[in-house]
PDB file of all heavy atoms in Angstrom:
ATOM      1  N   PRO A  12      88.727 164.614 133.080  1.00 97.00           N
ATOM      2  CA  PRO A  12      89.666 164.708 134.208  1.00 97.00           C
ATOM      3  C   PRO A  12      88.969 164.650 135.565  1.00 97.00           C
ATOM      4  O   PRO A  12      89.555 164.220 136.562  1.00 97.00           O
ATOM      5  CB  PRO A  12      90.336 166.073 134.014  1.00 97.00           C
ATOM      6  CG  PRO A  12      89.523 166.799 132.997  1.00 97.00           C
ATOM      7  CD  PRO A  12      88.771 165.785 132.212  1.00 97.00           C
ATOM      8  N   GLN A  38      78.756 166.286 129.804  1.00 98.00           N
ATOM      9  CA  GLN A  38      79.631 167.127 128.944  1.00 98.00           C
ATOM     10  C   GLN A  38      80.509 166.238 128.078  1.00 98.00           C
ATOM     11  O   GLN A  38      80.671 166.484 126.886  1.00 98.00           O
ATOM     12  CB  GLN A  38      80.477 168.074 129.815  1.00 98.00           C
ATOM     13  CG  GLN A  38      81.462 168.897 128.988  1.00 98.00           C
ATOM     14  CD  GLN A  38      82.200 169.983 129.781  1.00 98.00           C
ATOM     15  OE1 GLN A  38      81.813 170.336 130.890  1.00 98.00           O
ATOM     16  NE2 GLN A  38      83.246 170.535 129.187  1.00 98.00           N
ATOM     17  N   HIS A  39      81.099 165.208 128.679  1.00 98.00           N
ATOM     18  CA  HIS A  39      81.785 164.173 127.893  1.00 98.00           C
ATOM     19  C   HIS A  39      80.892 162.939 127.879  1.00 98.00           C
ATOM     20  O   HIS A  39      80.373 162.524 128.907  1.00 98.00           O
ATOM     21  CB  HIS A  39      83.159 163.855 128.492  1.00 98.00           C
ATOM     22  CG  HIS A  39      84.174 164.922 128.187  1.00 98.00           C
ATOM     23  ND1 HIS A  39      85.421 164.951 128.736  1.00 98.00           N
ATOM     24  CD2 HIS A  39      84.106 166.008 127.379  1.00 98.00           C
ATOM     25  CE1 HIS A  39      86.093 166.004 128.272  1.00 98.00           C
ATOM     26  NE2 HIS A  39      85.310 166.667 127.455  1.00 98.00           N
ATOM     27  N   TYR A  40      80.716 162.360 126.704  1.00 97.00           N
ATOM     28  CA  TYR A  40      79.683 161.330 126.532  1.00 97.00           C
ATOM     29  C   TYR A  40      80.167 160.137 125.725  1.00 97.00           C
ATOM     30  O   TYR A  40      79.555 159.084 125.756  1.00 97.00           O
ATOM     31  CB  TYR A  40      78.459 161.950 125.828  1.00 97.00           C
ATOM     32  CG  TYR A  40      78.866 162.840 124.673  1.00 97.00           C
ATOM     33  CD1 TYR A  40      79.109 162.324 123.420  1.00 97.00           C
ATOM     34  CD2 TYR A  40      79.080 164.204 124.877  1.00 97.00           C
ATOM     35  CE1 TYR A  40      79.539 163.138 122.380  1.00 97.00           C
ATOM     36  CE2 TYR A  40      79.505 165.028 123.837  1.00 97.00           C
ATOM     37  CZ  TYR A  40      79.732 164.492 122.601  1.00 97.00           C
ATOM     38  OH  TYR A  40      80.171 165.298 121.592  1.00 97.00           O
ATOM     39  N   ASP A  41      81.311 160.279 124.986  1.00 96.00           N
ATOM     40  CA  ASP A  41      81.801 159.118 124.232  1.00 96.00           C
ATOM     41  C   ASP A  41      82.161 158.015 125.227  1.00 96.00           C
ATOM     42  O   ASP A  41      82.615 158.314 126.335  1.00 96.00           O
ATOM     43  CB  ASP A  41      83.084 159.470 123.454  1.00 96.00           C
ATOM     44  CG  ASP A  41      82.794 160.268 122.192  1.00 96.00           C
ATOM     45  OD1 ASP A  41      81.604 160.474 121.886  1.00 96.00           O
ATOM     46  OD2 ASP A  41      83.761 160.697 121.533  1.00 96.00           O
ATOM     47  N   MET A  44      85.579 158.442 126.540  1.00 97.00           N
ATOM     48  CA  MET A  44      85.838 159.676 127.296  1.00 97.00           C
ATOM     49  C   MET A  44      85.112 159.622 128.640  1.00 97.00           C
ATOM     50  O   MET A  44      85.320 160.468 129.502  1.00 97.00           O
ATOM     51  CB  MET A  44      85.322 160.898 126.529  1.00 97.00           C
ATOM     52  CG  MET A  44      86.031 161.189 125.222  1.00 97.00           C
ATOM     53  SD  MET A  44      87.718 161.756 125.455  1.00 97.00           S
ATOM     54  CE  MET A  44      87.443 163.442 126.006  1.00 97.00           C
ATOM     55  N   SER A  65      77.706 168.420 123.720  1.00 97.00           N
ATOM     56  CA  SER A  65      78.593 169.513 123.319  1.00 97.00           C
ATOM     57  C   SER A  65      77.808 170.745 122.910  1.00 97.00           C
ATOM     58  O   SER A  65      76.605 170.670 122.673  1.00 97.00           O
ATOM     59  CB  SER A  65      79.460 169.061 122.151  1.00 97.00           C
ATOM     60  OG  SER A  65      80.169 167.901 122.509  1.00 97.00           O
ATOM     61  N   HIS A  68      80.338 177.549 124.571  1.00 98.00           N
ATOM     62  CA  HIS A  68      80.501 177.684 126.029  1.00 98.00           C
ATOM     63  C   HIS A  68      79.206 178.117 126.680  1.00 98.00           C
ATOM     64  O   HIS A  68      78.784 177.565 127.696  1.00 98.00           O
ATOM     65  CB  HIS A  68      81.627 178.670 126.360  1.00 98.00           C
ATOM     66  CG  HIS A  68      82.965 178.054 126.147  1.00 98.00           C
ATOM     67  ND1 HIS A  68      83.589 177.304 127.105  1.00 98.00           N
ATOM     68  CD2 HIS A  68      83.762 178.026 125.062  1.00 98.00           C
ATOM     69  CE1 HIS A  68      84.732 176.848 126.622  1.00 98.00           C
ATOM     70  NE2 HIS A  68      84.861 177.274 125.386  1.00 98.00           N
ATOM     71  N   GLN A  71      76.472 175.286 126.446  1.00 98.00           N
ATOM     72  CA  GLN A  71      76.776 174.121 127.288  1.00 98.00           C
ATOM     73  C   GLN A  71      76.591 174.475 128.776  1.00 98.00           C
ATOM     74  O   GLN A  71      75.966 173.726 129.534  1.00 98.00           O
ATOM     75  CB  GLN A  71      78.219 173.668 127.031  1.00 98.00           C
ATOM     76  CG  GLN A  71      78.556 172.331 127.641  1.00 98.00           C
ATOM     77  CD  GLN A  71      79.970 171.896 127.272  1.00 98.00           C
ATOM     78  OE1 GLN A  71      80.924 172.645 127.464  1.00 98.00           O
ATOM     79  NE2 GLN A  71      80.107 170.700 126.725  1.00 98.00           N
ATOM     80  N   VAL A  97      86.058 172.857 134.578  1.00 98.00           N
ATOM     81  CA  VAL A  97      85.366 172.734 133.288  1.00 98.00           C
ATOM     82  C   VAL A  97      84.017 173.469 133.328  1.00 98.00           C
ATOM     83  O   VAL A  97      83.596 173.958 134.381  1.00 98.00           O
ATOM     84  CB  VAL A  97      85.205 171.257 132.866  1.00 98.00           C
ATOM     85  CG1 VAL A  97      86.554 170.543 132.844  1.00 98.00           C
ATOM     86  CG2 VAL A  97      84.231 170.521 133.755  1.00 98.00           C
ATOM     87  N   ASN A  98      83.355 173.540 132.192  1.00 98.00           N
ATOM     88  CA  ASN A  98      82.083 174.276 132.135  1.00 98.00           C
ATOM     89  C   ASN A  98      81.052 173.696 133.107  1.00 98.00           C
ATOM     90  O   ASN A  98      80.275 174.443 133.708  1.00 98.00           O
ATOM     91  CB  ASN A  98      81.531 174.255 130.703  1.00 98.00           C
ATOM     92  CG  ASN A  98      82.339 175.166 129.781  1.00 98.00           C
ATOM     93  OD1 ASN A  98      83.079 176.049 130.245  1.00 98.00           O
ATOM     94  ND2 ASN A  98      82.215 174.964 128.477  1.00 98.00           N
ATOM     95  N   GLU A 130      89.062 177.861 130.962  1.00 98.00           N
ATOM     96  CA  GLU A 130      89.148 177.247 132.304  1.00 98.00           C
ATOM     97  C   GLU A 130      89.492 178.277 133.368  1.00 98.00           C
ATOM     98  O   GLU A 130      89.098 178.133 134.518  1.00 98.00           O
ATOM     99  CB  GLU A 130      90.204 176.133 132.322  1.00 98.00           C
ATOM    100  CG  GLU A 130      89.868 174.917 131.488  1.00 98.00           C
ATOM    101  CD  GLU A 130      90.215 175.091 130.021  1.00 98.00           C
ATOM    102  OE1 GLU A 130      90.731 176.182 129.643  1.00 98.00           O
ATOM    103  OE2 GLU A 130      89.967 174.148 129.252  1.00 98.00           O
ATOM    104  N   HIS A 201      94.900 169.149 123.365  1.00 97.00           N
ATOM    105  CA  HIS A 201      93.485 169.472 123.141  1.00 97.00           C
ATOM    106  C   HIS A 201      93.116 170.920 123.455  1.00 97.00           C
ATOM    107  O   HIS A 201      91.974 171.308 123.271  1.00 97.00           O
ATOM    108  CB  HIS A 201      92.586 168.534 123.956  1.00 97.00           C
ATOM    109  CG  HIS A 201      92.580 168.855 125.424  1.00 97.00           C
ATOM    110  ND1 HIS A 201      93.607 168.495 126.251  1.00 97.00           N
ATOM    111  CD2 HIS A 201      91.689 169.520 126.192  1.00 97.00           C
ATOM    112  CE1 HIS A 201      93.347 168.918 127.479  1.00 97.00           C
ATOM    113  NE2 HIS A 201      92.197 169.543 127.466  1.00 97.00           N
ATOM    114  N   HIS A 233      92.423 163.322 121.334  1.00 96.00           N
ATOM    115  CA  HIS A 233      91.176 163.837 121.922  1.00 96.00           C
ATOM    116  C   HIS A 233      90.182 164.122 120.779  1.00 96.00           C
ATOM    117  O   HIS A 233      90.596 164.556 119.700  1.00 96.00           O
ATOM    118  CB  HIS A 233      91.534 165.128 122.668  1.00 96.00           C
ATOM    119  CG  HIS A 233      90.411 165.749 123.441  1.00 96.00           C
ATOM    120  ND1 HIS A 233      89.429 166.486 122.845  1.00 96.00           N
ATOM    121  CD2 HIS A 233      90.126 165.756 124.762  1.00 96.00           C
ATOM    122  CE1 HIS A 233      88.573 166.908 123.773  1.00 96.00           C
ATOM    123  NE2 HIS A 233      88.989 166.485 124.952  1.00 96.00           N
ATOM    124  N   PRO A 234      88.867 163.895 121.017  1.00 96.00           N
ATOM    125  CA  PRO A 234      87.897 164.092 119.925  1.00 96.00           C
ATOM    126  C   PRO A 234      87.939 165.500 119.316  1.00 96.00           C
ATOM    127  O   PRO A 234      87.768 165.667 118.107  1.00 96.00           O
ATOM    128  CB  PRO A 234      86.535 163.846 120.589  1.00 96.00           C
ATOM    129  CG  PRO A 234      86.774 163.378 121.968  1.00 96.00           C
ATOM    130  CD  PRO A 234      88.236 163.355 122.233  1.00 96.00           C
ATOM    131  N   ARG A 235      88.178 166.495 120.170  1.00 96.00           N
ATOM    132  CA  ARG A 235      88.258 167.870 119.664  1.00 96.00           C
ATOM    133  C   ARG A 235      89.405 168.005 118.654  1.00 96.00           C
ATOM    134  O   ARG A 235      89.258 168.606 117.583  1.00 96.00           O
ATOM    135  CB  ARG A 235      88.502 168.781 120.865  1.00 96.00           C
ATOM    136  CG  ARG A 235      88.766 170.202 120.523  1.00 96.00           C
ATOM    137  CD  ARG A 235      89.201 170.997 121.753  1.00 96.00           C
ATOM    138  NE  ARG A 235      88.881 172.370 121.522  1.00 96.00           N
ATOM    139  CZ  ARG A 235      87.843 172.997 122.067  1.00 96.00           C
ATOM    140  NH1 ARG A 235      87.071 172.409 122.916  1.00 96.00           N
ATOM    141  NH2 ARG A 235      87.600 174.244 121.750  1.00 96.00           N
ATOM    142  N   GLN A 238      88.751 166.111 115.388  1.00 96.00           N
ATOM    143  CA  GLN A 238      87.849 166.894 114.535  1.00 96.00           C
ATOM    144  C   GLN A 238      88.599 167.979 113.764  1.00 96.00           C
ATOM    145  O   GLN A 238      88.395 168.171 112.573  1.00 96.00           O
ATOM    146  CB  GLN A 238      86.843 167.602 115.432  1.00 96.00           C
ATOM    147  CG  GLN A 238      85.417 167.172 115.259  1.00 96.00           C
ATOM    148  CD  GLN A 238      84.554 167.844 116.316  1.00 96.00           C
ATOM    149  OE1 GLN A 238      84.783 168.982 116.715  1.00 96.00           O
ATOM    150  NE2 GLN A 238      83.553 167.124 116.771  1.00 96.00           N
TER     151      GLN A 238
HETATM  152  C1  LIG B   1      86.993 170.066 128.361  1.00 76.23           C
HETATM  153  C2  LIG B   1      87.352 171.148 129.376  1.00 76.23           C
HETATM  154  C3  LIG B   1      88.874 171.152 129.567  1.00 76.23           C
HETATM  155  C4  LIG B   1      89.385 169.762 129.928  1.00 76.23           C
HETATM  156  C5  LIG B   1      88.944 168.788 128.841  1.00 76.23           C
HETATM  157  C6  LIG B   1      89.412 167.381 129.117  1.00 76.23           C
HETATM  158  C7  LIG B   1      85.891 173.130 129.411  1.00 76.23           C
HETATM  159  C8  LIG B   1      85.823 174.569 129.097  1.00 76.23           C
HETATM  160  N1  LIG B   1      86.970 172.476 128.926  1.00 76.23           N
HETATM  161  O1  LIG B   1      87.546 170.446 127.114  1.00 76.23           O
HETATM  162  O2  LIG B   1      89.186 172.019 130.636  1.00 76.23           O
HETATM  163  O3  LIG B   1      90.800 169.793 130.009  1.00 76.23           O
HETATM  164  O4  LIG B   1      87.511 168.820 128.787  1.00 76.23           O
HETATM  165  O5  LIG B   1      89.137 166.577 128.006  1.00 76.23           O
HETATM  166  O6  LIG B   1      85.020 172.622 130.081  1.00 76.23           O
HETATM  167  N2  LIG B   1      83.615 165.671 122.093  1.00 76.23           N
HETATM  168  C9  LIG B   1      83.278 164.422 121.644  1.00 76.23           C
HETATM  169  N3  LIG B   1      82.982 163.470 122.576  1.00 76.23           N
HETATM  170  C10 LIG B   1      83.026 163.708 123.906  1.00 76.23           C
HETATM  171  C11 LIG B   1      83.368 164.993 124.343  1.00 76.23           C
HETATM  172  C12 LIG B   1      83.662 165.962 123.427  1.00 76.23           C
HETATM  173  O7  LIG B   1      83.237 164.158 120.459  1.00 76.23           O
HETATM  174  O8  LIG B   1      82.766 162.771 124.687  1.00 76.23           O
HETATM  175  C13 LIG B   1      83.953 166.708 121.098  1.00 76.23           C
HETATM  176  C14 LIG B   1      82.786 167.586 120.778  1.00 76.23           C
HETATM  177  O9  LIG B   1      82.748 167.837 119.437  1.00 76.23           O
HETATM  178  C15 LIG B   1      83.063 168.869 121.516  1.00 76.23           C
HETATM  179  C16 LIG B   1      84.587 168.882 121.591  1.00 76.23           C
HETATM  180  O10 LIG B   1      84.988 167.519 121.636  1.00 76.23           O
HETATM  181  O11 LIG B   1      82.557 169.977 120.885  1.00 76.23           O
HETATM  182  C17 LIG B   1      85.086 169.584 122.803  1.00 76.23           C
HETATM  183  O12 LIG B   1      84.467 169.084 123.987  1.00 76.23           O
HETATM  184  P1  LIG B   1      84.160 170.044 125.228  1.00 76.23           P
HETATM  185  O13 LIG B   1      83.597 169.304 126.351  1.00 76.23           O
HETATM  186  O14 LIG B   1      83.424 171.234 124.763  1.00 76.23           O
HETATM  187  O15 LIG B   1      85.592 170.571 125.658  1.00 76.23           O
HETATM  188  P2  LIG B   1      87.004 169.827 125.746  1.00 76.23           P
HETATM  189  O16 LIG B   1      87.852 170.309 124.653  1.00 76.23           O
HETATM  190  O17 LIG B   1      86.860 168.337 125.921  1.00 76.23           O
END
Side-chain angles (χ1 to χ4, degrees):
Q38 176 172 345
H39 284 172
Y40 44 85
D41 283 356
M44 294 291 285
S65 304
H68 284 275
Q71 191 176 53
V97 305
N98 287 342
E130 293 83 0
H201 74 282
H233 185 282
R235 173 188 205 103
Q238 245 174 35

